Amino acid sequence: MAESNSALVWVADQQHTFVKAKFISDDGKLAKCDLNIFDDDDNDESANNNNNNIITVPLAEIHPVNPSNFDMIDNMSELTHLNEPSVLYNLENRYANDMIYTYSGLFLVAINPYCQLNIYSPEYINLYHGVKHDDDDDSVKPHIFSIAETAYQNLLIQKINQTILVTGESGAGKTENTKKILQYLAAITKLPNDNSQSDNENNQSFENRILQ
């Protein structure tokens, strides 16, 4: 591993899945790491040196830690080191800050918050309407509305049917996110108010036709 002794790496841990450790050295097959904990903000050691914290693990089983400026990044494809512990660390920190949506390239990762979050209001609909996911607008954060808007814009531009695949394990939030997609499409495709009752009856809104 061609990194300095001060490099931080992820190592497997039975209790926490992965933990940070200080890389010390390797012999080409095994890596020696120090499990003493460091504060990412100032890099000062918060535990006394203890040889009991020195572990040896297969070199292939350690993973580099990303610089702290990548913490809670919106799109994980931008991580310098794209590995399993870095992905889990990013998702965990975003989730802890009520950011349940994270991009992974063109895909959107959603984590069920198991609570109500005020991120589906008309204000949010207005924020995402007209802005595609690939517009590279940093002010618009990852959201299921962004995916719906991108599909809608592609439908208008390409004139062909669009598909949004919502997949995940039981309880992951597939049904709720599908409802949010329909809610968004219903809101942005509502017909303008018309004084003619017959016209309104013949031209029901997208919301009434889909959600009822």
Side-chain angles (χ1 to χ4, degrees), residues 94-106:
R94 289 179 63 83
Y95 183 83
N97 286 271
D98 291 334
M99 292 183 282
I100 63 171
Y101 294 114
T102 307
Y103 291 131
S104 181
L106 296 177

Side-chain angles (χ1 to χ4, degrees), residues 73 75-80 82 103-106:
I73 194 169
N75 195 328
M76 293 185 294
S77 67
E78 299 175 7
L79 290 173
T80 299
L82 187 58
Y103 291 131
S104 181
L106 296 177

Side-chain angles (χ1 to χ4, degrees), residues 14 37 44 62 68 87 91 103 109 117 127 147 209 211:
Q14 290 185 347
I37 301 173
D44 288 337
I62 66 173
S68 59
V87 168
L91 292 174
Y103 291 131
V109 179
L117 296 178
L127 176 65
I147 299 298
R209 284 181 278 167
L211 297 183

